[in-house]
Structure formats: C-alpha cells, structure tokens
Amino acid sequence: MPVATLKDLLEEGVSGRGVLVRSDFNVPLDGSTITDPGRILASLPTLNALIDAGAKVIITAHLGRPKGEPDPKFSLAPVAARLSEELGRNVQLAGDVVGSDALARAEGLTDGDVLLLENIRFDPRETSKDEAERESLAKALVELVGDDGAFVSDGFGVVHRKQASVYDVAKLLPHYAGNLVAAEVEVLAKLTDEVERPYAVVLGGSKVSDKLGVIESLAPKVDTLVIGGGMAFTFLAAQGLSVGTSLLQEDQIGVCKDLLERFGDVIHLPVDVVVADSFAADAQSQTVAAEEIPDGWMGLDIGPESVKRFTAVLSGAKTIFWNGPSGVFEFEKFAAGTRGVAEAIAATTAGGAFTVVGGGDSAAAVRTLGLPDSDFSHISTGGGASLEYLEGKELPGLKVLES
Ligand SMILES: Nc1ncnc2c1ncn2[C@@H]1O[C@H](COP(=O)(O)OP(=O)(O)OP(=O)(O)O)[C@@H](O)[C@H]1O
Ligand SMILES: O=C(O)[C@H](O)COP(=O)(O)O
C-alpha cells in the first residue's frame, strides 16, 4: 500500500506548522565523541527540506539502551552539537523528553527552528509493552507539535520497533515517510524482489538474542550464511565446543543445534578465533582453533583461517548483505577479522556484485577501518531493521505509515 511521503507534506505546506520527526541518532560513541556520524548525515535531507519550508522542527530520537530513566551517559548532547554544525544553525537540546523544558522550548520555536528532545528512552513509556502507556507518551509528543502538527518517520534503523515515538505517535498525527525511510526501502526491495544469486548474508555483532531469530527465516532464502562476531559462539557451543567466557546465549543453544541440523550446508562458522583474557583494548590475546578456546578466555574476533575461508565462500556471490562486525573492531587488536570480511565483500562489489552493509556499528566499522563507502553498493542505516525487512517481516514503523 502506498504511503504519503515528505514530498506530499511539503506540497500541503508546512510553514509555521510543528513537525515531529523521528530520526535514528543511535550513533557509536567513544565517550562523548561520535565515531561515525553516518546516521546523522543520512537524516539531513529530510531535516533541511523541512527547515527550508519553514516548519518548526521537533526531533525525537534514542541513543543506546538506557533503563527508562535519565542517564547522562546516553544524553543526545553530542548529537545536538554535531547536528548544529551540519545544519549550520543552532539545534536546541531540551533538558527532558516531554517535560516542562521541552514544552517551553517547543512553544518558543519560530519558523525554521530545530529542537531536539532528550533521549526518548529516558521515558519508560517509549519501550513499554503496554499500549496505553505508549499511547500516553505519544500524546505528550503530539502536544509539542500542536493541533495542526504532522509526523515524519525518518529513523529507518528503528522502524522494526513497536515503540511510542516510532509507531503509536503515527496513529495520532498525519504521517509521512521521510526521505531516508523511502530511500532505504527502495534499495532493500532489490534484495527481496528478484535477488541475483548466489545470495550471501554475513552476520555478526553483539545483539545475539535479537538476531538469532532472523537466521531461522533467512537460512532457507539464502545460498550462504556466514556467521562471525559475538553471534558465532552460541553456534560453536551448539556443536559441543567450549567457548570460555565468550558472548553466549545459553537458552538458544538448542535453537542453534536445530539450525545447524537443517541448514548445515548453508551456514559457515569460524574455524579459528582470537581470544582475550579480558574485554579490553590491551588484553592479552592469542589465536586458537575454534575447538580449543581455553577456559576463562573470550573470543573477540575471528581468526585468519576463518577470514580465508569466508573470503572463498563469498567470492562467487552476486548479492551480499552484511550486518554485524565479525569482531570487536573498536579495539585494534581485534579488528583484523572485520577488516578481512569487509575487504572480501568490497572485492565482490568490484567484481559486479550488489552489496549492502547495514547497521550502526557495521557502517562505523567500514568507515573506521578506512574503507570508502564506494566499496559497497549501499550502506544502510538499519541493522536489525534491514534484517527484519529482508526476512519479509512486517515492520511496525512502516506498516503504521500505510494507515
Ligand atoms: N566476539 C564479540 N564479542 C563481543 N562483542 C562483539 C563481538 N564481535 C563483535 N562485537 C560487537 O558487536 C557490536 C555491534 O553489534 P550490533 O549487533 O549492534 O551491530 P550493528 O551493526 O550496530 O547493528 P544494529 O544497527 O542492529 O545495532 C560492536 O560494537 C562489536 O564490538
Ligand atoms: O542501532 C539500531 O539497530 C537501532 O538504533 C535500534 O536500536 P535498538 O536495537 O536498541 O532498538
């Protein structure tokens, strides 16, 4: 079903109107330094269009996974500063989410002004399972933009979440897909409609419980499924191997065993691992075979033999989707696996394959390792969101825009 877009809203006219924009500013941080501004840069076309049209722009976004209460570690202050630079105008940061400061600032906006609300996940109603609670937060957001307000959904990375600022608020305001959401859907549709085979998906990262379910639906659709990163250890454990103190989803070992039985010919796991004695940049490390992870050590990267094998299986692919770094690339000692996988995918792009990298940290990995964006056909802002889209799942934040 077609959805209304930003272009439709601009044609209706937004001058002097309050427009609530949901962006995904969940950017990787080193302290308060943004290590990859990709998601901020991707939000600029929508924001600039609204500013130029004279809207009073109020942005809501999340950062990390705070526990439903204010936590300075997860403040959007670094984002407000970077956004001000990129937009060339002052972006005010409200001191709260929908409280008295946000309300006062919203009331003081003039045409073309931009207000960023503090991390929406500081309010427990945002991620509540209780619809009435989410709705009450959505209503408070609506109050900020006023009766003739509109909602623009532009945080593609979060459209798989049924949350107040993504889903419930769209039911209360005239709603439109922003430029980023529209562009992402257009590219990802190429991976679902008529995908060129062989089709490979490369998974890694740390959101293991979130993404194991994805494998169940993707495995029958792909020709190759390469698994590295924190994701790999539950599979290694399912093969009966000891994984030391590596990231492990114990309650999913049975699921992984079943997946290996059914899709063993498609799934490729690391055969060697770089293990560390602690989760630190300067940890002691050694490379061991996957079946020889010592007790008390944790796997923080895939080893060189795994990179070689993964490179070989990916080399013939015509389509590749990659989400989740193969190791803790933020620490130089554990970045080689991710670099190797990135280079293998880049080589297939050069050979004419259609390649997509998705996810906040995956895109950051590519950039911090120094690979140009042009090494990939598309760098998506969505990790979990892209994966669920590829699975063919209904994404609440997209579905609600159809109504
Ligand atoms: N073996 C490992 N153990 C622990 N953490 C790991 C391991 N391998 C990778 N990681 C971490 O995974 C994190 C990224 O995982 P994540 O699943 O969030 O990916 P993403 O690309 O950001 O996707 P999304 O957009 O869905 O969040 C990185 O910070 C990286 O350090
Ligand atoms: O980084 C992401 O994938 C999105 O910002 C969603 O974050 P979440 O997984 O914490 O909901």
Side-chain angles (χ1 to χ4, degrees):
M1 194 177 166
V3 302
T5 63
L6 180 65
K7 190 164 162 266
D8 299 312
L9 175 60
L10 296 174
E11 276 168 17
E12 280 169 33
V14 288
S15 181
R17 283 173 74 186
V19 177
L20 180 73
V21 182
R22 181 35 159 123
S23 299
D24 185 350
F25 291 149
N26 193 17
V27 289
L29 287 174
D30 184 1
S32 62
T33 304
I34 297 170
T35 52
D36 177 41
R39 282 178 164 165
I40 297 177
L41 303 181
S43 74
L44 298 177
T46 290
L47 298 177
N48 275 320
L50 288 168
I51 293 166
D52 291 347
K56 296 172 181 169
V57 182
I58 300 179
I59 313 171
T60 178
H62 75 282
L63 178 68
R65 292 178 170 176
K67 300 201 173 352
E69 58 185 23
D71 178 344
K73 216 170 63 217
F74 295 108
S75 168
L76 283 170
V79 172
R82 182 63 186 253
L83 204 51
S84 298
E85 270 172 42
E86 297 296 338
L87 292 172
R89 66 181 57 231
N90 178 41
V91 173
Q92 305 179 47
L93 175 67
D96 49 26
V97 179
V98 287
S100 54
D101 189 53
L103 206 53
R105 287 176 187 271
E107 277 166 6
L109 293 177
T110 58
D111 300 1
D113 278 353
V114 185
L115 169 66
L116 174 63
L117 305 178
E118 202 26 300
N119 192 336
I120 187 81
R121 290 187 182 171
F122 286 176
D123 190 313
R125 293 172 294 177
E126 167 70 356
T127 55
S128 173
K129 295 274 170 276
D130 181 322
E131 198 171 336
E133 281 185 12
R134 290 200 314 269
E135 222 176 76
S136 84
L137 175 58
K139 281 186 181 150
L141 288 168
V142 172
E143 227 177 281
L144 297 177
V145 286
D147 287 343
D148 67 340
F151 174 64
V152 174
S153 171
D154 210 34
F156 179 74
V158 77
V159 290
H160 58 317
R161 303 291 184 217
K162 196 174 196 173
Q163 296 177 352
S165 68
V166 178
Y167 174 79
D168 302 81
V169 75
K171 292 186 175 172
L172 303 177
L173 284 170
H175 42 261
Y176 306 84
N179 288 341
L180 177 61
V181 162
E184 292 273 21
V185 168
E186 198 179 318
V187 175
L188 291 177
K190 288 193 203 165
L191 293 182
T192 48
D193 296 346
E194 277 169 33
V195 65
E196 242 200 289
R197 291 182 178 275
Y199 176 21
V201 169
V202 182
L203 291 179
S206 58
K207 290 182 183 168
V208 181
S209 54
D210 271 23
K211 294 175 187 174
L212 272 177
V214 171
I215 296 178
E216 178 83 38
S217 17
L218 276 183
K221 297 189 176 128
V222 303
D223 303 297
T224 304
L225 194 50
V226 169
I227 300 176
M231 178 86 68
F233 297 98
T234 309
F235 281 92
L236 295 179
Q239 290 181 324
L241 305 182
S242 151
V243 297
T245 53
S246 307
L247 208 58
L248 177 66
Q249 197 71 35
E250 236 161 312
D251 57 340
Q252 299 290 314
I253 291 177
V255 173
C256 290
K257 232 183 231 169
D258 176 57
L259 286 168
L260 286 171
E261 270 162 28
R262 286 157 58 213
F263 305 109
D265 52 335
V266 170
I267 295 175
H268 298 264
L269 294 171
V271 291
D272 58 350
V273 180
V274 184
V275 294
D277 61 355
S278 67
F279 190 89
D282 59 355
Q284 294 293 320
S285 66
Q286 53 177 316
T287 300
V288 297
E291 49 288 336
E292 283 167 11
I293 299 176
D295 284 351
W297 290 66
M298 62 182 76
L300 294 187
D301 196 10
I302 58 171
E305 185 54 32
S306 306
V307 171
K308 218 191 270 172
R309 294 195 186 192
F310 288 178
T311 302
V313 294
L314 292 173
S315 67
K318 286 271 183 294
T319 306
I320 302 180
F321 179 82
W322 175 28
N323 170 249
S326 307
V328 182
F329 72 93
E330 294 92 337
F331 302 154
E332 185 50 43
K333 259 189 170 171
F334 308 104
T338 303
R339 183 189 302 278
V341 167
E343 285 171 352
I345 298 173
T348 69
T349 319
F354 183 67
T355 59
V356 178
V357 183
D361 291 301
S362 307
V366 162
R367 294 178 182 132
T368 54
L369 294 174
L371 280 86
D373 285 13
S374 57
D375 273 2
F376 306 90
S377 310
H378 178 64
I379 300 197
S380 169
T381 54
S386 301
L387 280 173
E388 291 195 19
Y389 185 92
L390 296 190
E391 275 183 79
K393 257 194 175 170
E394 189 172 283
L395 306 186
L398 293 183
K399 183 73 189 161
V400 74
L401 298 180
E402 292 177 3
S403 53

